[in-house]
Amino acid sequence: MGMNSGIADPELRKAFTELQRNVVETQSKLQVADQQIAELQQKSKRKEIAQKQLDIFPPETKMYFGCGKMFILDEKPEILKKMNKDVDANSEKIKALESQKELLKRNQKEAEGNIREMIAVKKQTGTTS
């Protein structure tokens, strides 16, 4: 970015370069986390819709569910249990991703604060010399 060109101190230049790399990396990780969260929410929503559609069938109904490249015959309550388990697993993954996002944001703000502090210290020592 354009800020590096006016920086004469090699230590500050290195710190700015590190910060820029860190910010870009963090933003990339945040985007990936957002995409994963959206995907998991969509999967959960599909499972919930499918569960509602299965409610019209009696409990003793035998049904097929997809497992990789094959389909397995099972009873409705078992299939619903598996669907609920998948939805719960997705919710846990979403919570983990949300906490990871918060940690990334905190680390980014901390790094920016450290750079600001370094600049302030350099300005003070530069003006007193």
Side-chain angles (χ1 to χ4, degrees):
M1 298 190 188
M3 293 181 69
N4 279 354
S5 59
I7 300 172
D9 188 355
E11 185 180 326
L12 270 179
R13 184 176 296 134
K14 182 179 177 185
F16 272 121
T17 305
E18 182 68 24
L19 174 66
Q20 287 173 340
R21 187 186 59 74
N22 189 1
V23 167
V24 169
E25 186 178 306
T26 301
Q27 287 173 344
S28 171
K29 288 179 181 178
L30 287 171
Q31 286 177 340
V32 168
D34 284 337
Q35 290 171 346
Q36 289 174 339
I37 289 170
E39 183 180 321
L40 289 169
Q41 287 172 335
Q42 192 175 31
K43 285 181 180 180
S44 291
K45 184 67 101 178
R46 281 192 208 125
K47 295 273 185 190
E48 290 168 1
I49 291 170
Q51 286 173 332
K52 288 178 186 173
Q53 291 174 341
L54 294 179
D55 284 343
I56 61 172
F57 297 103
E60 64 276 358
T61 305
K62 298 245 183 208
M63 302 176 173
Y64 288 95
F65 71 95
C67 182
K69 290 185 176 183
M70 64 181 179
F71 293 93
I72 298 175
L73 183 64
D74 209 347
E75 294 182 3
K76 178 184 168 184
E78 290 301 313
I79 290 176
L80 290 177
K81 269 194 236 177
K82 290 173 187 168
M83 291 175 112
N84 282 330
K85 192 171 133 183
D86 288 345
V87 169
D88 292 343
N90 287 345
S91 295
E92 290 299 317
K93 289 176 187 176
I94 288 170
K95 287 178 188 174
L97 287 168
E98 290 288 352
S99 64
Q100 180 184 6
K101 277 178 55 178
E102 290 303 314
L103 179 66
L104 287 169
K105 287 178 184 178
R106 247 183 289 144
N107 288 344
Q108 184 176 2
K109 286 181 182 178
E110 185 179 316
E112 289 170 355
N114 290 342
I115 291 294
R116 286 188 187 104
E117 185 179 320
M118 185 186 297
I119 292 171
V121 167
K122 289 290 182 182
K123 282 183 180 177
Q124 286 177 354
T125 57
T127 56
T128 58
S129 320

